Amino acid sequence: MIPKEFPIFELVFLMKDIAKLPYKFIYFDLDDTLLDHKTAERAALGDVHGNFSIFNNIVSEALAEVYHEVNVEQWLLYSRGDVNREELQRNRFEMTLQQLSLDAAQYEKVGNYYLQCYQNHWQWINGAESMYLRVLQKFPAGLLTNGFAETQRLKFEKFGLHKSATHTVISEEVGVLKPDPKVFQHATELAGVEPDEILYVGDSYSSDIEGGANFGWNTAWFTDNGNCQQYEKADFVFSDCKDLCKFLNV
């Protein structure tokens, strides 16, 4: 929801120039923009909680909360180069078990089972599939995502995104993670247009909105949170996929 102190337009979004749409290419973020990562993560952790006896005295909500905090911190460290991929994969479960005062030696079994379950819960964000397909009818579009490359490619294949997208960019394969400008430079070169002719649709303020805007891209922020100063960074803010379609006239 847009904060009350913000001007309210006929549609629930903000834009800098409704009349001018200079976009020649649309990039979409993947997790929590097109696909519902948060719900899949929580459901997979619920599966983990029910499968291992070490969690018998821990409520599932506690596992989900601690894991989320640890995982976010480890991905931040990974993006800075302070931990490598193997350390991230180990730390996020080992440290979660440690913080819950459980047997941290089981981190590998827990982590492997989580990844198996996570795939079972992948699904579109409400309204995102229709939004994506409608955008494809008018614009060439691609995907730009962080995440482990093999996991993201499995998502591309499961939802047919590797066939529908003109270009798919996984930051890990570029060698740096969003919001590093090298990722946006690579994606721009693939698109074959100028930075200011690209619109990036994403949910993360730091990785997608700041990262894209700082490289000269236009940005559309998919969120129902944020403060006034953050809203001003994006060219367009929306919380309902239908509003992006209206904005792009698709």
Side-chain angles (χ1 to χ4, degrees), residues 31-46:
D31 292 322
D32 291 324
T33 299
L34 293 180
L35 302 184
D36 194 344
H37 163 72
K38 289 187 177 69
T39 296
E41 177 185 86
R42 185 167 290 272
L45 290 170

Side-chain angles (χ1 to χ4, degrees), residues 74-88:
Q74 288 300 305
W75 273 99
L76 179 60
L77 294 174
Y78 181 44
S79 71
R80 295 174 177 172
D82 295 330
V83 300
N84 60 35
R85 176 189 166 118
E86 290 72 26
E87 289 171 327
L88 186 161

Side-chain angles (χ1 to χ4, degrees), residues 41 79 115 125 231:
E41 177 185 86
S79 71
L115 290 176
I125 290 278
Y231 276 74

Side-chain angles (χ1 to χ4, degrees), residues 2-244:
I2 305 299
K4 291 182 179 179
E5 62 269 21
F6 243 84
I8 301 298
F9 294 91
E10 181 179 356
L11 299 174
V12 185
F13 57 67
L14 302 177
M15 67 189 79
K16 292 181 179 178
D17 187 354
I18 190 171
K20 184 179 180 181
L21 296 177
Y23 318 127
K24 293 184 179 179
F25 198 94
I26 312 292
Y27 270 112
F28 287 93
D29 173 51
L30 185 63
D31 292 322
D32 291 324
T33 299
L34 293 180
L35 302 184
D36 194 344
H37 163 72
K38 289 187 177 69
T39 296
E41 177 185 86
R42 185 167 290 272
L45 290 170
D47 294 339
V48 167
H49 181 271
N51 189 68
F52 293 91
S53 60
I54 59 173
F55 297 111
N56 286 351
N57 295 320
I58 302 292
V59 297
S60 60
E61 290 78 9
L63 170 61
E65 181 178 352
V66 172
Y67 171 81
H68 179 72
E69 292 177 356
V70 171
N71 190 48
V72 168
E73 177 63 22
Q74 288 300 305
W75 273 99
L76 179 60
L77 294 174
Y78 181 44
S79 71
R80 295 174 177 172
D82 295 330
V83 300
N84 60 35
R85 176 189 166 118
E86 290 72 26
E87 289 171 327
L88 186 161
Q89 290 178 307
R90 172 174 180 150
N91 292 347
R92 61 181 184 170
F93 286 101
E94 185 177 52
M95 295 176 66
T96 293
L97 295 175
Q98 289 173 344
Q99 291 192 27
L100 291 170
S101 300
L102 300 175
D103 182 9
Q106 296 199 45
Y107 78 89
E108 190 169 6
K109 291 181 178 179
V110 172
N112 289 339
Y113 188 73
Y114 166 82
L115 290 176
Q116 295 173 20
C117 296
Y118 176 56
Q119 297 182 39
N120 297 331
H121 299 289
W122 293 343
Q123 60 184 338
W124 289 95
I125 290 278
N126 185 37
E129 182 178 17
S130 175
M131 171 188 72
Y132 175 71
L133 293 176
R134 289 171 66 177
V135 169
L136 288 179
Q137 294 176 6
K138 185 174 181 179
F139 298 94
L143 303 169
L144 172 56
T145 175
N146 283 344
F148 296 133
E150 65 274 18
T151 300
Q152 303 305 75
R153 294 209 171 277
L154 284 174
K155 293 176 183 178
F156 294 166
E157 293 174 8
K158 180 174 181 177
F159 295 92
L161 298 170
H162 63 306
K163 294 181 179 180
S164 59
T166 304
H167 299 293
T168 58
V169 180
I170 301 175
S171 300
E172 187 178 69
E173 295 180 337
V174 180
V176 291
L177 302 183
K178 296 181 298 180
D180 193 296
K182 292 178 183 178
V183 177
F184 295 95
Q185 175 67 42
H186 177 72
T188 301
E189 292 172 356
L190 286 178
V193 299
E194 295 299 318
D196 62 1
E197 294 175 326
I198 293 175
L199 176 70
Y200 188 34
V201 184
D203 71 293
S204 170
Y205 180 74
S206 59
S207 295
D208 302 335
I209 305 310
E210 284 192 316
N214 290 343
F215 192 74
W217 285 12
N218 303 284
T219 59
W221 189 18
F222 180 45
T223 184
D224 56 5
N225 296 306
N227 59 45
C228 295
Q229 291 181 335
Q230 289 177 322
Y231 276 74
E232 292 174 351
K233 188 75 171 182
D235 296 85
F236 176 76
V237 181
F238 68 107
S239 59
D240 188 318
C241 291
K242 294 178 181 178
D243 287 339
L244 182 66

